Each structure stands twice: as C-alpha cells, then as structure tokens.
Amino acid sequence: MTRPTAGTPLSRVDGRLKVTGQAAYAAEHDAHGTVRGVVHGVIVTSTVGRGRITGIDTRDAVAQRGVLKVISHLNAPKLPYRPFRGVPDPARGERLRVFQDDRVRFFGQPVAVVVAESLEIAQHAASLVKVAYDGERPATDLSSPAGEANQPENYQRGNVDQALERAHTRLAQTYRLNREHHNPMEPHATIARWEGDRLTVWDKTQIVLNTRGDLATVFGIPEGAVRVISPFVGGAFGSALRAWPHVAIAALAAREVRRPVKVVLTRKQLYTGTGFRPVTEYKLTLGADERGRLTAAVHDIRAETSAYEDYREALMVQGQMVYATPNVRQTYRSIPLDVNTPTWMRGPGAATAAYAIECAMDELAYDLGMDPIELRLRNEPDRDPGTGVPFSTRRLRECFRVGSRTVGWDDRDPRPRSARDGNWLIGTGVAVATYHTQRAPAQALARLDADGTAIVQCATSDMGPGTYTSMTQVAADALGLPVPKVRFQLGDSTMPPSPPHGGSMTMASVGSAVQDTCDKLRRQAIRLAVADPGSPLHGASADDVVVQNGRLHLRDDPERGETYRELLARNNRPHLEARGGYTPGQEVERFSTHAYGAVFAQVAVDERLGLVRIRRVFGVYDAGRIINPKLAESQAIGGMVGGIGMALLEHTVTDPRDGRIVNANMADYLVPVNADVPDVNAIYLNGDDRTADPIGVKGLGEVVIVGVAPAIANAVFHATGRRIRDLPITIEALL
C-alpha cells in the first residue's frame, strides 16, 4: 500500500545531483557538454555614476590574441526593444537599453563587452579598454533625488487627524532600513546561442518565461523563437526575477561573433548588475486609547528607485491589515536616484514594513506599560480591516500562545536592562510576521509511460526551496505511485507556463496545477481500465477505483485490479498523457489570505563593547498545509538567517562622490555565518487552507524572514534600554 508522501519529511530528490556536481547551473552547461564551442564575454562597467561617455579606446584590447570583438554603443546594432507583453517587470519606466547610447545612469553600468576565446583573455582585454567620460556628481541619497519624486501612492480610511487629536497616547518615530544585496552563492550567468533566427539561452532565472519575453522584445523576434533553459538555480532570493542587462549582452555578443557566448558576472558586478532591497525611510505615527486599542496610524514612506525606472515594493499591505485600526493614512513615495533599479528581495515590502510597524508596536507597549504580546492581541481584527472581507484563516493568537509557552515569555522581567549574564545584557523581543498568499495561473503536463513511471513538467524554477521534491510528492500522491517512479521536470520555456518562482506563490500555484494534471491522468487510466473488457476492473464504477503503489483496484476489493504497466501493455499504449492547470477564482477577492507567524528573539549585548550576539530565534507559523516538513524547516532557517543579517550585519555602502559601492565584496559586505546563528528553529501549526487554493497551502518562503529583524531590534531594546531605529544595528549605535 502506498502511503501519502505529502506531509512527510522527504529528502531532496535532486540532492544527489547537487552534491556530486552533476546538476548543471547556468555557467556550467558548456562543461556538461550541453552546448559546445562557447567563447567568453567580460563586461566593462562605468566608473562614474552619472554623465556621458566621450570616448572608448579599444585598440589595446582588440590587439590581444584570441579577442574576437569589443562591443559598445559605438558599434552595437540598434535594437528594437518592442513593447514587452510577457510577465510584468517589477519596475515601470524606461528599461536599460544596453549599448544603445552614450548615457551613464549609474556607477557600474555596462558600457562594453569583450568577447574572447578564453575567460582569461577576455578579462585581460577588458582591463585594457579605456573609457572617457563627461561625468557629473550623482544623486545617491534620499535627501538629494535625481529628479522630482514620483507620483505617490495613497491610501486612507476614517478620520485620521481627528483620531490622533483624541488619542490617549501618541507615538511618532522614523525607522530606516539601509540597502541590502542578495549575494546568492551562484553568480548570475548566461550562455547564449543563435541558430539562424532562433535564440537559446541557458540562464540563471526565477522565471524562464520572463527572460524569454524580455529577449523577444529586445531583439524584435517572436517569443516562440526564444528558448530559455534553467534547470538549477544556486540561490537567488528575488535577484533573478527579471532579465538583467547581462542577459541581453550575452545574446547580442553571440549574434555578433556567431558563436555561443557565456557571460558570468563577477561578485563585484552583482552589486550593480542586478537589483537590491532599496533604502527605505518609514515614518510611523500611532494613536491609541488608554486600553491600548489603536485608533489611528499614519504611514509616511520614502524609498529609493532608479532615475530611469520606478520600482515599488508592496510596502502598504501590512499597515492596512495587520491590526484593527479604524483610521489609517498611508503615503508611499519612490525617490529617483542615480542608481541601478532595485528589485524584489526575500519578503519584499513585508519585511521592511514589519520592521517599522513591529518596532513601533513595541515602543507603544512600553509607553502604555503593557506587555507587547497583549498589546498585539488587543488589536487583533476579526476581518481584514483594509478590505472588510473575512480571513481564510488567521491563527496568530495560537502562534503567540505556542511561541510564548515555548520560549518562556511570561517568565521574563519586562524591564529593560533587567537580565544579565556577566558582562552580557540579555533581552527578549517579539514581532508579528505576515505575508499575503499569492496565487497565479499555472499549467502542467503529465505523462504515464508503459513501464509504470511518470514524468511531470512545468516551466517553473527551483532556486533552493525544493520545487523538484515537493512537486514530486504532490504528483506521486495524485497518481498513486511511489516517489522513485515519478520525475518532475522544470526550468524550460518550452514546458507548460508557470508564474514567477517568487512571492511564495510556487507551491500554491504550480502545486495546484500539478495536482489537477495528475488527477486527470489518474482518472484517464481508470476510465481506460473500466472500459477495457480485458481488465479485471471492466464494468466497475470509476468512482470505486483507487490507485496505490502503481496498481489500480477496487476500494472495497483490493484483490480485483491491475497495475498501470499491465493496463498500458494490454492496450498497446506507449503512454497516457494529460494537461491540466490552476487558475485562481473568486476566493482571491472574497477572502483575505495570508501566512502568519509569531517570532521571538533573544540577544546578548556586551555592555562595554556594544557587541550583539544572537542566542535564539524561534518562530511559530501558520502557513496552511505543509507538503514537506524538512523543506519547510530549511526555509524557516534560511529566512531567519536572512533576518539576522538584515538586523545586525547587511548594509550596502555608497560613496556619494561617484556612486561607487565601496563594500561590493564578501569581505566587506557582511552576512551571517554559522557562529552568528547558534539556535534558530521554527514550528508550523497543523493547517489546511482549502479556501486559499486546492491543495491547502499558503506559501512560506517569504513569511519566515518578515518578523525577524524587528524581533531582534526589540530584544536589543529590552537588553539595553536603547532604541535603535536604523538597520543594521551597529556597535557604534550601542556605544
């Protein structure tokens, strides 16, 4: 009998490929023999943050043996850049058109590419390219925009000013989160090959369809003439959710030299060649009555974007729905700067907004002399305050109950500086985590072969959460097959379409499509059996037939049945095939659907040195049905580590004189290491939200980072009595 695999901690089905080096990442397809005759492109980037190129001297570079071509705006063909009709870009405005003019919009902008027979030759020749500029001082700070602020986004309900005037307690503070970069283990890379007018690219991407559509617009060719392949992604965290300039550069260079071209960004180039979490200033004013009930909230948000595109985070969701606040006003302004365009980074918008909101709630609790959890519980809404619709589920109270009992919250002395361990001041903080459940249309293809194995396909991605594994589990259960008999394939634009692999929407969207597709395939096999005079199941009702361990049989008479292999062999069928899909319905408008969490952090702060050390981070999450607890735990640990980095370490530093990022390397841009995360864990409440989607999941990759930074900041206050409202929290701020 086949036991359901969904809900079991199955190890990654692709794990052996990864640990043995057989998994081919974007830059490795030539080494794996997938594409031959590859030459190398190395990008030359600008050394000014704003201005125009007045000259490019390539004579020394092209004189090097093995150099095929140096391409810049001086000799690149003009590209059509037709309107993009694919998956929407994260930003609105004029996309960066590579090598199409002499303008420099940010430090590190690609200004040329050297193509050579080897990487070493290309790197050396790139160092010989001399570029002259008519430079200007760039605007890189929110206080000095490159132009007028973009049109603000506004939201309001109730009479905010009147409510604030009548409030028993008012709090007004500004919280700042500095720029962060994704720094995935795998650098961004693209191999491009033309065959006539058809283009194939092997790319690091979280959405092959977006890359396909982008390249089609750049080169003015049909989307069907572009194939994008991306079977493995070595971490991305949102950085691969759009096609960055190097992708078009690789394709352009390949067309010019008539050879496959590989472009791999250096670690330094990742800081300007892809996006980042933008600098955000979040001014929050709260009003509350004497019982701690929120009466008003004003959110005034400013965040950076590039001067040529308008990127905006989903920064306003939390402020509208997390707490029952009758009077709310929000203004969100994106400020154009001479920087490259920001993009989604894990927990986009939500992690930033939660930092401000949850720190402010902690401050308000202390002002009111109230327990921070009690304040939050007193402001729990029974319906979504922003939309008025009911929640599909909202179990935040249970998250708090389980979490506070586990960490011993009630045993802590709430007074700041009340606990110490030698020279270390000990503090505990808490914060709420929420993330909206996103769903989008997805399709899948499933084929049951005559040998009793199945292949399921979808053009989704796997940047690390375990898509291969979780989809295999869903498919195996739907088909009644053991996991080893099912193979899930992804990462190819020729496969059935999928939404972006981001925003915690993959499991809900693609998983539901896989469920539907495999249900159809199983029912197709059952119909074939009951209609086949030679089958033991002939004449039975299809509703009475189940499939277990690859064998079809009557539910009430397990002896009467046959295997998939026997059924297909007798009917001379090499395979059965089904297509299916998922499209969100009216539940998207009728219910407010979110994942939730209560996050607890304990820190130790050296009283003399200002060092902050994490002692524990613990989260309790309501994320619907958990398909694979082992993968879910891994996601929680990864998200919490990212939250620790946000709170204490990560900060991209820009030189205002020229826009250069001064810590564009892994020595100076600090991320957490094992010593920074001694005790990090999470638990998930048992759940199954069929209102959210057909398989009852909510998505959990984003919510697990959202509340970590404010929980740590609140713990630092409890330890030291000092409020630090700028992230990351540095030694200097605590001395």
Side-chain angles (χ1 to χ4, degrees):
M1 179 176 178
T2 303
R3 297 180 61 185
T5 65
T8 61
L10 186 70
S11 295
R12 294 173 186 261
V13 298
D14 55 329
R16 181 172 293 275
L17 293 176
K18 291 181 175 180
V19 300
T20 59
Q22 298 177 68
Y25 293 87
E28 300 178 327
H29 288 279
D30 55 336
H32 283 254
T34 308
V35 54
R36 300 185 184 279
V38 171
V39 295
H40 298 263
V42 170
I43 295 174
V44 179
T45 58
S46 67
T47 55
V48 299
R50 178 173 177 167
R52 292 190 177 275
I53 301 169
T54 58
I56 301 180
D57 185 349
T58 64
R59 288 173 294 180
D60 291 343
V62 299
Q64 301 302 306
R65 180 178 298 179
V67 171
L68 302 178
K69 194 165 188 176
V70 180
I71 305 169
S72 70
H73 76 282
L74 298 177
N75 61 349
K78 296 303 177 185
L79 301 175
Y81 282 89
R82 293 176 180 171
F84 186 28
R85 297 180 180 177
V87 177
D89 267 348
R92 298 163 292 223
E94 175 195 355
R95 68 177 58 223
L96 187 66
R97 302 188 175 203
V98 295
F99 310 153
Q100 299 297 292
D101 59 44
D102 63 356
R103 289 180 58 198
V104 175
R105 298 162 178 83
F106 57 89
F107 190 101
Q109 175 184 317
V111 295
V113 63
V114 177
V115 185
E117 293 284 355
S118 74
L119 176 60
E120 293 77 11
I121 295 172
Q123 289 173 331
H124 177 61
S127 71
L128 299 176
V129 175
K130 301 179 181 66
V131 184
Y133 303 95
D134 179 10
E136 305 172 36
R137 187 180 179 94
T140 60
D141 187 86
L142 290 179
S143 62
S144 56
E148 294 184 8
N150 295 311
Q151 187 70 26
E153 294 181 37
N154 297 299
Y155 170 87
Q156 181 163 343
R157 65 172 182 256
N159 191 325
V160 176
D161 294 331
Q162 184 181 83
L164 281 176
E165 189 175 321
R166 296 176 178 176
H168 173 271
T169 302
R170 287 186 294 274
L171 173 79
Q173 296 292 351
T174 299
Y175 304 88
R176 179 184 172 91
L177 186 132
N178 282 294
R179 187 191 296 184
E180 289 184 82
H181 273 84
H182 306 74
N183 282 300
M185 184 176 294
E186 179 200 13
H188 285 253
T190 303
I191 299 175
R193 181 184 68 192
W194 289 86
E195 295 172 298
D197 292 331
R198 302 189 68 83
L199 172 63
T200 302
V201 297
W202 292 263
D203 186 44
K204 172 176 178 166
T205 177
Q206 292 172 245
I207 172 168
V208 293
L209 301 182
N210 196 31
T211 301
R212 182 185 69 178
D214 195 88
L215 289 169
T217 68
V218 170
F219 292 98
I221 59 179
E223 288 192 6
V226 182
R227 183 182 181 187
V228 180
I229 301 170
S230 182
F232 293 98
V233 177
F237 316 110
S239 67
L241 278 169
R242 71 179 298 185
W244 298 103
H246 71 275
V247 182
I249 289 172
L252 173 62
R255 195 170 72 171
E256 289 295 292
V257 302
R258 300 185 180 182
R259 296 272 298 275
V261 172
K262 175 162 69 174
V263 173
V264 182
L265 296 186
T266 65
R267 182 62 59 179
K268 181 178 181 179
Q269 288 174 339
L270 291 178
Y271 287 79
T272 52
T274 66
F276 49 87
R277 194 192 304 276
V279 172
T280 304
E281 289 182 352
Y282 198 123
K283 182 178 180 181
L284 181 56
T285 303
L286 297 178
D289 64 20
E290 63 276 7
R291 296 175 299 167
R293 300 289 179 86
L294 293 173
T295 58
V298 179
H299 307 252
D300 191 355
I301 307 165
R302 301 169 75 244
E304 68 177 332
T305 187
S306 67
Y308 57 93
E309 287 185 291
D310 186 8
Y311 169 79
R312 303 193 184 203
E313 304 254 82
L315 282 164
M316 299 169 71
V317 176
Q318 269 76 4
Q320 296 173 21
M321 54 72 59
V322 173
Y323 297 113
T325 314
N327 306 285
V328 176
R329 182 167 66 236
Q330 294 176 312
T331 302
Y332 173 17
R333 297 175 179 86
S334 58
I335 309 301
L337 300 175
D338 295 315
V339 299
N340 58 309
T341 303
T343 196
W344 295 291
M345 187 171 177
R346 195 170 192 172
T352 303
Y355 167 62
I357 294 169
E358 292 304 304
C359 286
M361 287 294 286
D362 200 72
E363 294 202 48
L364 182 62
Y366 276 93
D367 287 352
L368 290 166
M370 187 178 296
D371 180 85
I373 293 180
E374 178 60 27
L375 175 65
R376 289 167 169 85
L377 294 179
R378 290 191 183 188
N379 288 282
E380 266 289 278
D382 54 6
R383 299 174 74 87
D384 188 314
T387 62
V389 302
F391 296 107
S392 59
T393 67
R394 182 171 170 127
R395 301 166 66 193
L396 196 50
R397 290 182 181 274
E398 188 174 351
C399 291
F400 274 123
R401 184 171 66 252
V402 173
S404 60
R405 183 174 64 244
T406 303
V407 303
W409 176 267
D410 292 339
D411 297 331
R412 104 198 219 285
D413 187 330
R415 295 173 299 166
R417 302 179 66 89
S418 59
R420 66 170 56 241
D421 180 5
N423 291 327
W424 296 92
L425 300 171
I426 309 301
T428 306
V430 70
V432 168
T434 66
Y435 198 82
H436 50 293
T437 300
Q438 297 192 76
R439 294 140 292 184
Q443 297 178 26
L445 171 68
R447 190 183 76 215
L448 178 65
D449 287 329
D451 63 357
T453 64
I455 294 176
V456 184
Q457 295 181 333
C458 178
T460 188
S461 300
D462 187 350
M463 63 172 163
T467 309
Y468 280 108
T469 307
S470 56
M471 298 305 164
T472 299
Q473 290 178 266
V474 172
D477 287 352
L479 293 170
L481 285 171
V483 164
K485 296 288 187 180
V486 178
R487 185 155 54 102
F488 185 73
Q489 297 177 333
L490 54 73
D492 192 325
S493 60
T494 63
M495 295 176 181
S498 71
H501 181 52
S504 288
M505 71 175 76
T506 300
M507 196 69 242
S509 306
V510 177
S512 295
V514 168
Q515 180 77 51
D516 177 71
T517 303
C518 292
D519 283 345
K520 288 178 178 176
L521 184 57
R522 184 191 71 252
R523 289 194 291 264
Q524 184 183 149
I526 292 172
R527 288 195 301 269
L528 178 63
V530 300
D532 179 6
S535 172
L537 296 169
H538 178 249
S541 170
D543 293 338
D544 294 334
V545 179
V546 296
V547 184
Q548 294 177 321
N549 202 27
R551 184 174 181 273
L552 303 83
H553 63 81
L554 289 180
R555 181 180 289 103
D556 298 330
D557 186 4
E559 298 301 318
R560 183 181 168 187
E562 63 177 333
T563 66
Y564 281 136
R565 293 182 64 176
E566 292 168 335
L567 174 65
L568 268 64
R570 188 176 57 254
N571 285 273
N572 297 315
R573 301 289 290 271
H575 64 267
L576 298 177
E577 191 172 284
R579 285 182 174 269
Y582 163 70
T583 300
Q586 293 183 344
E587 70 277 2
V588 176
E589 287 79 30
R590 292 176 52 237
F591 293 91
S592 176
T593 310
H594 298 257
Y596 299 94
V599 184
F600 298 82
Q602 185 183 73
V603 303
V605 183
D606 189 297
E607 187 173 19
R608 293 175 299 180
L609 301 179
L611 293 172
V612 180
R613 291 290 182 261
I614 299 295
R615 291 205 167 180
R616 185 180 192 184
V617 179
F618 179 72
V620 183
Y621 297 99
D622 166 26
R625 183 179 173 218
I626 304 301
I627 299 297
N628 187 315
K630 180 181 281 190
L631 297 178
E633 181 185 26
S634 177
Q635 283 291 284
I637 292 172
M640 289 176 172
V641 171
I644 292 170
M646 178 187 295
L648 301 178
L649 297 169
E650 297 189 54
H651 178 196
T652 306
V653 181
T654 303
D655 188 330
R657 297 171 298 177
D658 57 11
R660 178 175 64 95
I661 295 175
V662 301
N663 61 336
N665 57 75
M666 294 305 293
D668 299 315
Y669 183 99
L670 303 180
V671 297
V673 297
N674 285 348
D676 297 313
V677 288
D679 187 359
V680 175
N681 55 70
I683 60 175
Y684 293 89
L685 303 178
N686 290 328
D688 194 336
D689 190 352
R690 300 290 166 145
T691 301
D693 49 72
I695 61 174
V697 304
K698 287 188 174 185
L700 51 84
E702 315 290 349
V703 70
V704 289
I705 194 176
V706 170
V708 178
I712 292 172
N714 293 337
V716 168
F717 169 76
H718 181 229
T720 65
R722 299 187 65 174
R723 285 286 178 191
I724 310 301
R725 301 183 182 92
D726 287 11
L727 292 188
I729 299 171
T730 62
I731 292 174
E732 294 85 348
L734 288 170
L735 289 178

